[in-house]
Amino acid sequence: MVLRWRCSPLLLLSLLLQSFVSADHSFENTAVVRTVEVAGSLVQVTTTFAVKALEGDASEYTIALGEREHERTSWLEAKIKGQAAILPLFEGGYDPEIGVHFYTVALPHAMKINETANLVVETVETHATYPWPEQASQKDPQSLKYETDLFVVSPYKTLVERIKFRTPTPNIHSYTNPPGLDDFTVEIPVTKSGATITYGPFNNIPITSAKEFLDAKQEHVAVHYAYDSPLVEVMKLKRSAEISHWGANLNIEDTFHLRNAGPALKGHFSRLEHQSTMFYGRPPPHVLPSLTVQLPAGIHSPYYYDLIGNVSTSHLRTSPSQGKNGRSQPSLLELRPRYPLMGGWNYTFTLGWDSPLADYSSYEKATGKYIVGIPLMTMIPGAVVDEAEINIILPEAATDVDYYPPFVPTESGITTHVTYLDTVGRPAIVLRYGRLTHKHAGVIYVTYKVPVTAHLKKPLAVATAFMGLFALGFLAKRLDISIQKK
Amino acid sequence: MLLPLLALFALPLCLAASTEANHAKLVQLAAANDGVIRLDQSTYRLLTSPRRNWSASVQFTAMDKRRRCTPCREFGPSFNAVAKAWSKVSSAERDSHFFATLDFDDAMPVFQEMNLQSAPVVQVYTATEGPRQSASGRTAISLDFSQGFEAAPLAEQLSHYTPVPIPYKPPFDWSRAATFVFMALAFVAALRFMAPILRSRWTWAVIVVLTSLVMTSGYMFVRIRGMPHSGPNGQWIAPGYQNMFGQEVQVVSMIYGTLAGGFLMLTLIVPNNLSPQRQRMQVYLWAGVIFIMYSVLVSLFREKNRNYPFKLLF
Amino acid sequence: MPFAYQLPSDVSPATVANTSSLLRIIALALISGAAIASRLFAVINFESIIHEFDPWFNYRATKVIAEKGFYEFWNWFDPTAWYPLGRVVGGTIYPGLMATSGVIYSLLHAINLPVDIRNICVLLAPGFSALTAWSTYMFTKELKDESAGLLAAVFIGIVPGYISRSVAGSYDNEAIAIFLLMFTFFCWIKALKIGSAFYGSLAALFYFYMVAAWGGYAFITNMIPLHAFALILMGRFSSRLYVAYSSWYAIGTLSSMQVPFVGFQPVRTSEHMAALGVFGLLQIIAFAELVRTHVSSKQFQSLLYASVVGMGITGALAIIGLTYKGWIAPWTGRFYSLWDTGYAKKYIPIIASVSEHQPTAWPSFFMDLQLLIFLFPAGVIMCFRQLRDEHVFVIIYAVVASYFAGVMVRLMLTLTPVVCVTAAVAFSSLLDTYIDPAEPDVLEDDSNTGQDAPTSGTSTAVSTSSPAPSLKKAKKAAAAAPPAGPLDGLVSTVTAAVSSSKKAGKPRGVFGLDTRIAVLINALGMLFFFVMHCTYVTSTAYSSPSVVLASTNPDGSQHIIDDFREAYYWLRQNTPETAVVMSWWDYGYQIAGMADRPTLVDNNTWNNTHIATVGKAMSSSEEVAYPILRKHDVDYVLIIFGGLLGYSGDDINKFLWMVRIAQGVWPDEIQEPNYFTPKGEYRVDEAASSTMKNSLMYKMSYYRFAELFGGNQAVDRVRGQQMPKVGPTLDYLDEAFTSENWIVRIYQVKKDDPLGRDLKTANAFAQGKKRKRSKPQVRRKAVS
């Protein structure tokens, strides 16, 4: 299983081991192109390193992340251009005085001198943008700001470097044009064309992960752009998946704490204005009247309620399931919160559904184990999940429980969960994650055994209970408790 | 050169003096006809002079027969009663609140300038100066008769504005007491003659059944709401589900009674009849009666509750 | 001996008995099923949700029990209610309901059934209605026989008069109270019948439960003494009566005093004095009886009687004296207003303002009881025919309850059981008469009376009614007995009746099959109609949880109007935990339950002044109201406004009550007449009085309402009046939230102006600045 890199816990780890990666000279970047796709709460950064080996069998390429990037980044993966295989990635340590984190990529094969390769590094940054201005009235538009360091931090020399910022709309209010760029280029350092801002090309950039460069030359740029879809954050997601063999059913229930992270509503909410903007068909971009969620295919009996009962305003378009491996398009759930979510407003709700267990599980004759694949989370498009807790409840008295999450959780463990006339209780797997993005939407595989006796536990228990009741009734009827006998 | 200054000093004094004089005048007016000043236009002005350290409750009325104001004549006595009660309190308090009545025929212009269309009206004029100046700054407050024309509620309402609550006690009703005692005695006396009747269960049966019939056909509603016996232009079914006239009580209880009677006949009396033909006839008769009355009842209910879907015969 | 139709004669009595008992059990099971099912309309049409207002508090309290346990609940002080006063909940409620569902909750969880507490609360009432049907069956069985009992059970199971208070979701005290009422009465009658202390104490036990569950326990507290007293007057004092009453009163009273909310009332208030007095009287009489058995001299007995009477009178006088001294509290207003019907309107407007305290018009009687209402008198007559002790009870119950039901709509609930019982008695005796196959001979013949006993027995068995022939015979005989018979001819026991029947053994019965069929078809048709009626009434009238409103789309599908929850949930999610919400008291419990925010006043209206304060704030002008709001730390003001949707139960329609209640406390600041037009009409349009237009309630209701209509004429759909083009303006409050259909409007109370200006001027200043920018906006509106 590929080790994928996650931020918060390993940050500590890396801080502990001060394994120092000095700038070595085994590589140079003939060309570096970074494309930053600024958007809502998720920003996708793709950096392509055209790498040239300067020494023989160089098999470990080092990439570096600046302090701020590192904090934001919740996903990092490296590939060779045009190849699907994701390259292994290791902690390279942290240099506190320059504040740079290093990661080493294990190249598929050791490179000979002057051999070149194109390395593609993809990162996803969360909470990288913030609304600006911070407040907006009901009719105002919504604009976001994104700030970052300009030059790609790398422990190697770079011949040509180009940085692009792509915004969702061509409507860009402003972008910084730093003065100090001229030492690396001769023509205009910054050009804007449509929805793209291009910095560079810059030539002959020295090693950027060096103190002198970071202090003197590293530039700080900001992009201020219009963004016209609401900025959704899921502050908390609690998923519990319950596997039932009697019902051949997999029940999944998500509890969301939704927040509109857009500009806070200025003044007060006026229903009149809301209704008129809705009526004229131009709802302000930072209002979230409803959201569409993709649910798995073949689900049935969904429910959508919050703390005070059922919410009647939701529509589900289910699509039939194609079994485990058939590619079927997902069911669409269009749900409306009780009230339109203005900037800064919260809304908590619970969403659940049943689905046939057969679509998710399979039985392995050889080992006698069941294998169930549980989707890790329900994706709300463009949203980041700040913290997630996933409970997987297995059938009663399941044994040899193993689970394989798509990537390492912050916490995990197995507890027992007692419900529905259980006698011994059911094993429940608990996983915790932080800062999940659409990239993390994986599948958790769980394997376990269920002995036949376990299946029969419940009916036996119930039967005995009823027998006891009847016996009591029988006695009570026959017993004569009157004081004087007639 | 000193004079204006002097005048300036004197001004408040003489004003005060004038209020004093007015007050004294009112006091002796009140004393003259036990507690209720009978106002005319001038005395009204006096009583309601903008600078007053007293309060007053004035009854605007039209006692004269020609005005045909029955409520006025109904209300007058209770107002006087309250005033009388007020005249009992110690003079200090008594003289700081006056009761007065203003008849339409005595001071028509006052009625006009206050454009009062209806009588009786009770206005309370609070003190504009002195310790008892009203907090809210409202000088004239008109009472509402939502609780009827009796003296007790009036006294209670007025007590909010008087320095001390009005010591009004409803007069003890000797006649009622006497009748009550008499009835009791008569009952005791008649007891031995009435004993067989009282001890026959069927007397009680009749009483009980009648009571429950009357009650379940909405008698208390009519009683409490004071509904008329029948509506204008002689309609006797009040429109609306939560509404009814006095006559409906009679009709409905009659229907209920008939239906109950029919059941009793079928159950108790008919089987005792030992000639097959007559019995058969009675059975069909009563079954028919029940069915017809029942459908009458249902149609009556449809009258009250328009969107009731079911119906029998009619 | 002729028969209208033949019966299988080769059936052994044992088989008959077993079959009938089996049938009875099945019937009862089916009845329970029907009773529960017919109360689930609300859940099916809407969802499993708590209804109306008070239930929301009970639900909240129950959650406390379920989560924190009983002791926490017992000394629960709720600081969020009646802000800033708070409320000692443990001591100011009848905990029976919450305790019941708490117990059920923990039982289910003990056997690992994780049922949501909400569902328990929602389904409690239907569940207990099944029990009510059963206890009514037991009760009626004591009066007549099983067949009548089953009929009574059916009636109480589906009669709207009871369903109205026990649909799924109406989680109120009445939900369990009626079962307790009927079962206590059953135990009482049983105890009286067989003079058993066991049933007496059982009655006491359930009486205690009743006391813990519902304020209406006073009904039992006075019914049983009344019954006992009546029996004494009828010269029916017996050791059975003595045992039953003493055991009930002693245990019942002592245990009832354990409920904190009741405390020492049983010995301190007039409501309970009747019971005490009768208890004393019984002791005296018992003593007298005892002495009489030992002493024989005539004079002494007369003297004894004199002394007994004297003691009785002195006792009564003593109670009266104590009442005057103030040792015994006089009747409470609620109770008193039942006798002096005008009392509440004058002195307790809060009680009078509640719609369910209005008198009952006959249509609602018919709506709630349908054919039972006229079977009721017939049944009472039946009770008079064989005047056993329990019949006396039913008769008294009938009179008292029918009076109460006439005075107050909500007391229809106490009338319903007795109506069902008596109606069942009447109806089943009709069925008995016409199902019995035995035909009398035309000529007199004494011998047959003896013979047709077994046949009638079997016949009843077939008709799933009583297999007790002797009892039936007794009744028939009783029927035959001349009305003005000897007083104690048929009263005391069954045997006596049988013997009397032998005396007046007049053959009676029905000739021919056609007559039978005619009558029976008629009867069954009526029953069928009754079922139709009940279903209709339940589904249309009594099954909507006033929290969620339903309307129908043009295409006929149901459209849910969910404004209340929308607004409450907004409060819950987007305001600070401690934000104080002011609203009229009707919505206090809902806000506490759904929005989970502190409220100024709520539906337990214990503090008139506090409510009047809210009323004053609502009904006076902004300048006057603002200091009041600030003094009470009010952050949000919530009002209900139906003008857009035509929802008639809104605050403008309740406004006059606010005014009246406020006037009761500040008569010289608030006057009801000022809110009417000079012509004395209650209007909200141009013609409305200035006081009305300046009142906070009016402003909050119609703030920016006219703008919603664009250029067109704004219309208030409830009042059906045309609103002025320019709506009111607010200086001291901000519109914070308005629900989708404008039913709920929430306003935030402005904090003091930072520059220390008066908010009005500050606002005017801001307006002046803004005007230029907002102009085009306005014009665009005018166009559309």
Side-chain angles (χ1 to χ4, degrees), chain A residues 274-283, chain C residues 780-781 783-784:
Chain A
H274 178 68
Q275 280 172 340
S276 61
T277 47
M278 283 293 163
F279 177 76
Y280 292 116
R282 19 185 174 72
Chain C
R780 186 175 57 66
K781 275 209 166 42
V783 171
S784 63

Side-chain angles (χ1 to χ4, degrees), chain C residues 89 229 534 728:
Chain C
V89 177
F229 190 61
C534 292

Side-chain angles (χ1 to χ4, degrees), chain A residues 201-447:
Chain A
F202 306 115
N203 306 322
N204 307 331
I205 299 170
I207 295 171
T208 47
S209 68
K211 192 164 189 343
E212 54 276 11
F213 181 88
L214 288 173
D215 295 347
K217 296 276 192 291
Q218 180 62 291
E219 292 298 343
H220 173 271
V221 295
V223 186
H224 187 203
Y225 59 98
Y227 184 66
D228 42 19
S229 58
L231 210 60
V232 186
E233 276 177 29
V234 178
M235 302 177 82
K236 204 183 230 110
L237 167 62
K238 193 171 182 306
R239 155 163 294 193
S240 77
E242 193 162 347
I243 299 168
S244 152
H245 280 216
W246 279 103
N249 181 31
L250 171 67
N251 168 278
I252 294 186
E253 178 170 304
D254 292 342
T255 308
F256 290 91
H257 180 179
L258 211 61
R259 186 168 183 286
N260 183 342
L265 178 63
K266 191 192 286 173
H268 280 97
F269 169 65
S270 152
R271 171 69 61 173
L272 182 63
E273 275 166 17
H274 178 68
Q275 280 172 340
S276 61
T277 47
M278 283 293 163
F279 177 76
Y280 292 116
R282 19 185 174 72
H286 49 83
V287 178
L288 179 71
S290 74
L291 67 159
T292 312
V293 180
Q294 292 191 349
L295 302 182
I299 67 172
H300 58 89
S301 55
Y303 48 91
Y304 166 38
Y305 64 87
D306 57 24
L307 291 170
I308 57 174
N310 177 38
V311 188
S312 55
T313 56
S314 60
H315 307 289
L316 175 70
R317 261 176 284 113
T318 46
S319 61
S321 77
Q322 318 289 359
K324 268 190 292 302
N325 35 25
R327 299 262 103 256
S328 59
Q329 80 271 37
S331 323
L332 284 186
L333 177 67
E334 195 244 334
L335 49 86
R336 273 179 54 209
R338 288 193 186 276
Y339 45 86
L341 238 60
M342 296 286 149
W345 285 10
N346 303 309
Y347 182 65
T348 62
F349 65 94
T350 302
L351 179 64
W353 64 86
D354 290 342
S355 38
L357 188 59
D359 294 3
Y360 298 85
S361 72
S362 60
Y363 180 67
E364 206 174 322
K365 280 259 180 329
T367 58
K369 278 191 163 190
Y370 293 92
I371 304 169
V372 181
I374 311 281
L376 187 138
M377 65 174 187
T378 303
M379 199 49 234
I380 290 182
V384 53
V385 179
D386 285 351
E387 52 184 284
E389 176 186 334
I390 294 135
N391 292 319
I392 300 170
I393 299 160
L394 304 176
E396 188 174 11
T399 54
D400 333 354
V401 178
D402 280 319
Y403 57 96
Y404 310 98
F407 44 88
V408 191
T410 54
E411 285 175 51
S412 66
I414 298 185
T415 62
T416 29
H417 176 88
V418 182
T419 167
Y420 293 120
L421 298 168
D422 286 352
T423 43
V424 298
R426 331 184 162 192
I429 302 165
V430 184
L431 305 170
R432 291 181 199 286
Y433 288 104
R435 307 216 356 238
L436 299 178
T437 68
H438 59 287
K439 289 276 187 186
H440 297 78
V443 175
I444 307 170
Y445 287 98
V446 182
T447 69

Side-chain angles (χ1 to χ4, degrees), chain B residues 201-202 268 272, chain C residues 382 384-388 471-483 489-491 496-498 500-502 504 506 508:
Chain B
R201 70 178 69 176
W202 297 110
L268 304 181
N272 294 340
Chain C
M382 292 287 178
F384 265 104
R385 278 184 47 251
Q386 8 138 349
L387 204 56
R388 272 179 278 129
L471 198 65
K472 283 185 60 58
K473 273 279 356 98
K475 302 239 172 42
K476 290 224 192 110
L490 317 148
V491 286
V498 172
S500 75
S501 82
K502 285 274 174 291
K506 190 142 147 285
R508 64 193 299 276

